[in-house]
Amino acid sequence: MRTVDPEQHARKRALILQAAAREFAVHGVDGTSTASVCRRAGIGSGTLFHYFPTKRALFHALFSDDLARGAAARERALAAARPGDGLDLLVEHLLTDLADPLVPGLLAAALFQANRDEEFAVMVATDEALTRDALTTLLERAAADGCRSAFPPERLAGWILRLSDACYLAAGEEGFDPVAQTAELRRIVAGLVGRPVG
């Protein structure tokens, strides 16, 4: 019986996901075919279906693979010695992919898919709820440390998420600067939280 090399398996899977991300970003879910993903990845359909039984499973994997990264970021943020540092870490994580040129197309595809795929919508909403809870906890800690915001922590957590979403919606605009956008959002968050803005 042939054994599977885990590293080779992971590399092949990552190659397929990279190809799929490009196809979905440009053509959306409906405009992408498994054949086009295979062509871009340089594989046969049998290989694709070995890793992902359906196009829907492939699309889900693009986003579900990121869940572990989000969980790790929340854990690091909540473990930070100072709540302000934790907020900075979590805002950085929220904007990690801002410079990726595929993001605007993938975001559009994800929004479309969430409106017709309940399992996908629940996956995305659950991750967002966990991030909102982490932000709320950090904001409560910041308030206990003396930061004064005009908004309750839970409401402010919602605004931080909406502002980070808005950054991604703007990412496709001409002249968009992800580094400047991230720095500006950090300053905005600091001002909203009642921390000194440097």
Side-chain angles (χ1 to χ4, degrees):
M1 180 180 204
R2 196 174 83 180
T3 58
V4 175
D5 177 351
E7 288 183 15
Q8 184 178 351
H9 186 273
R11 278 194 303 273
K12 180 73 76 173
R13 187 178 186 277
L15 172 73
I16 295 168
L17 286 172
Q18 186 178 39
R22 292 190 176 282
E23 290 296 315
F24 287 132
V26 174
H27 305 291
V29 177
D30 290 345
T32 296
S33 67
T34 56
S36 68
V37 173
C38 289
R39 276 192 304 276
R40 186 175 288 275
I43 59 171
S45 59
T47 301
L48 174 66
F49 294 127
H50 170 74
Y51 287 86
F52 305 101
T54 64
K55 181 171 71 170
R56 179 175 175 266
L58 180 58
F59 189 77
H60 280 222
L62 278 174
F63 293 87
S64 63
D65 279 12
D66 195 45
L67 299 181
R69 191 171 60 144
R74 289 189 293 267
E75 190 176 320
R76 280 193 312 276
L78 290 169
R82 297 182 304 190
D85 293 341
L87 281 169
D88 287 343
L89 283 169
L90 207 43
V91 168
E92 276 307 319
H93 166 71
L94 289 172
L95 301 180
T96 295
D97 297 323
L98 206 52
D100 186 336
L102 300 180
V103 161
L106 285 173
L107 180 61
L111 291 172
F112 184 76
Q113 190 70 9
N115 284 318
R116 65 181 186 178
D117 182 340
E118 186 177 351
E119 183 184 350
F120 182 76
V122 167
M123 177 179 69
V124 172
T126 299
D127 187 62
E128 183 175 308
L130 290 169
T131 301
R132 182 187 297 260
D133 289 347
L135 284 167
T136 300
T137 298
L138 290 165
L139 291 163
E140 288 168 348
R141 291 176 185 173
D145 264 7
C147 291
R148 294 289 168 245
S149 169
F151 305 98
E154 188 174 330
R155 294 286 299 156
L156 186 50
W159 277 112
I160 292 170
L161 286 173
R162 287 184 203 101
L163 287 168
S164 68
D165 287 346
C167 290
Y168 281 99
L169 291 171
E173 295 174 1
E174 189 174 331
F176 180 81
D177 182 345
V179 174
Q181 196 83 14
T182 300
E184 288 170 10
L185 184 58
R186 286 179 70 166
R187 288 171 54 89
I188 290 167
V189 169
L192 289 171
V193 173
R195 293 165 60 201
V197 179

